Amino acid sequence: RARDKLVRNLELLEFEPVFFTLILLPPIIFESGYSLNHSEFVRNIDGIAAFAFIGTLISFGIMGPGLYFGLGGEGGMFTPMEAAAFAALIVAVDP
């Protein structure tokens, strides 16, 4: 009986991922951008861009061969060019 009550109370705390993604996350992202210290951001833009560029290259270097060899290699699901194109698309939009 006490366990059932606890389970019901915990079920009230759950929410759907769609609710989080569409309702809760946008205001959080907006507030973080709105309260950003712009002078600090501009002062550090070189480092930010360098880390973003290097991180993207590393991700591409892992994703391209990973897709090609991980999905069968020669005669597999992707040609090397398709794996590279898909990796470029994925690493550019999904840090």
Side-chain angles (χ1 to χ4, degrees):
R1 184 163 246 224
R3 184 177 187 275
D4 292 338
K5 185 177 180 181
L6 178 64
V7 169
R8 271 185 269 131
N9 287 340
L10 289 176
E11 286 175 352
L12 292 174
L13 297 176
E14 293 180 13
F15 57 88
E16 295 293 320
V18 173
F19 174 74
F20 176 75
T21 304
L22 297 179
I23 305 298
L24 296 178
L25 194 56
I28 293 169
I29 294 171
F30 176 77
E31 194 279 329
S32 66
Y34 188 74
S35 65
L36 178 69
N37 186 342
H38 295 286
S39 62
E40 287 284 324
F41 178 76
V42 171
R43 187 175 6 189
N44 293 313
I45 194 69
D46 294 338
I48 294 168
F51 278 114
F53 183 74
I54 292 168
T56 301
L57 286 179
I58 291 170
S59 295
F60 177 76
I62 293 170
M63 284 293 296
L67 283 169
Y68 179 68
F69 293 112
L71 294 175
E74 192 172 330
M77 188 173 179
F78 289 121
T79 66
M81 187 61 76
E82 291 171 338
F86 188 70
L89 175 70
I90 294 302
V91 302
V93 298
D94 189 26

